[in-house]
Amino acid sequence: MVDSYYESGSTAERWDRAQLFFEAKEYVTAVRILTGIVDEVPEQVAPRLLLARAYYHSAQLKKAETELRAVLERDPVEQYATLMLGRTLERQGRPEDAARYLRLAAAFDGDVAGEVAAQR
């Protein structure tokens, strides 16, 4: 595919296309589309969160971490981003760093048992 494919269409059309590729587990292709959308509308959380998820599922964990931190800068109580950042840090072998985010995610969810487990 040529680069123009990833850039063609309106933002809404590219968003729909990126979601389709993500749902089809074509994460690298979704990333190529979503990076352009995030550059275009950096203040929007949803495209950045889907980009982070695509990075995560394609094992680009440092990039996923960067995007998740950017999401949490814009929306500090975004529960899924908090949980996902914890999981991303775990996958990177950073359990101490992960524990904070996992506790927060459990607290956002009202999961007291999960919060206690994350503290161990």
Side-chain angles (χ1 to χ4, degrees):
M1 288 186 228
V2 286
D3 286 339
S4 62
Y5 174 77
Y6 303 105
E7 300 164 359
S8 68
S10 69
T11 305
E13 290 168 337
R14 288 181 286 130
W15 170 247
D16 289 342
R17 191 177 320 132
Q19 289 179 305
L20 289 172
F21 278 108
F22 184 89
E23 290 167 9
K25 298 183 181 179
E26 294 288 338
Y27 303 117
V28 173
T29 303
V31 163
R32 292 190 69 180
I33 298 167
L34 288 163
T35 52
I37 295 171
V38 167
D39 288 344
E40 191 175 311
V41 288
E43 70 285 352
Q44 290 190 11
V45 170
R48 193 174 294 274
L49 184 56
L50 188 60
L51 177 59
R53 292 176 63 200
Y55 279 139
Y56 179 87
H57 288 297
S58 62
Q60 299 179 63
L61 300 177
K62 286 289 190 186
K63 290 181 179 183
E65 178 184 350
T66 299
E67 293 303 326
L68 290 164
R69 290 186 187 281
V71 166
L72 291 172
E73 271 183 29
R74 288 162 176 75
D75 186 355
V77 295
E78 170 38 73
Q79 179 184 354
Y80 189 71
T82 304
L83 174 63
M84 197 170 167
L85 181 55
R87 297 287 185 237
T88 300
L89 294 168
E90 277 184 330
R91 277 185 70 186
Q92 292 180 61
R94 297 165 53 193
E96 299 83 23
D97 296 333
R100 172 180 179 232
Y101 294 99
L102 296 175
R103 280 193 306 271
L104 279 171
F108 289 154
D109 192 35
D111 181 4
V112 176
E115 189 175 348
V116 170
Q119 290 177 1
R120 293 184 185 156

